[in-house]
Amino acid sequence: MNAKPTPIPDGYGTVTPWIAGKDTARLIDFLKEAFGGEELGRVEGAEPGSIGHAEVRIGTSIVMMFDSPFKVDTPAMMRLWVEDIDAALARAVDAGASLVTPATDVQAWGDRVARVRDPLGHLWWLQEHVEEPSLEEMSRRMAEPKYQRAMEQTQVMDAPGLI
């Protein structure tokens, strides 16, 4: 008898996101071009040409996706940590994403943040960690107008392309 395997398969994190959409093949192409995604595999769906299950590795994470049978569209909202937010933002837009919010100045907690909507309607928070402020420094910053504006920029939900 074999020993019980580890509870989380190699290469997966504790939480693995799913994206249910209308054109998973196109989403996979976008993820490859915009974020350097690596397709790990795909399984045909019940409908000809559809994808019943696919997995793409982006950096150290795996994202699962499939062509949705749901009657209601449920766009995904994903956070992607990047090394260079300006380069990642330009690459995503070049790959067909629409800009929702440009890269912020440094947030109170030390990140720069931008948002894009991919060609299939999913929202991506691109985030670059650039500073390690102390809790005291973060608290102090939260009272400053420039940090409040940076936070508001990533929370507005009436930006172009948002519902």
Side-chain angles (χ1 to χ4, degrees), residues 1-149:
M1 178 180 242
N2 292 339
K4 182 178 178 184
T6 60
I8 302 170
D10 288 343
Y12 291 82
T14 305
V15 175
T16 301
W18 284 88
I19 299 176
K22 298 287 187 221
D23 190 347
T24 299
R26 184 173 172 207
L27 178 60
I28 291 168
D29 290 342
F30 171 78
L31 296 176
K32 288 177 180 178
E33 186 177 344
F35 306 131
E38 172 193 359
E39 182 176 344
L40 301 177
R42 66 172 82 185
V43 176
E44 286 188 35
E47 298 295 319
S50 70
I51 296 177
H53 178 83
E55 296 184 13
V56 173
R57 180 183 312 282
I58 302 172
T60 61
S61 299
I62 294 175
V63 179
M64 295 182 181
M65 58 208 69
F66 61 95
D67 287 322
S68 176
F70 305 133
K71 295 184 186 329
V72 177
D73 286 339
T74 307
M77 295 171 41
M78 311 288 281
R79 174 184 289 173
L80 178 62
W81 293 101
V82 298
E83 289 187 32
D84 179 341
I85 197 166
D86 298 310
L89 185 56
R91 186 173 173 183
V93 169
D94 287 348
S98 57
L99 180 65
V100 176
T101 52
T104 64
D105 291 332
V106 175
Q107 298 279 351
W109 59 89
D111 295 351
R112 292 186 66 214
V113 182
R115 292 185 301 170
V116 296
R117 184 171 292 284
D118 72 28
L120 294 127
H122 307 291
L123 189 62
W124 294 82
W125 269 258
L126 305 179
Q127 225 155 311
E128 178 185 5
H129 194 61
V130 296
E131 296 178 351
E132 290 279 348
S134 67
L135 288 175
E136 295 79 21
E137 177 65 9
M138 282 189 265
S139 294
R140 185 193 65 72
R141 288 178 174 187
M142 292 300 278
E144 290 185 31
K146 78 175 192 174
Y147 292 106
Q148 292 169 354
R149 283 190 302 274

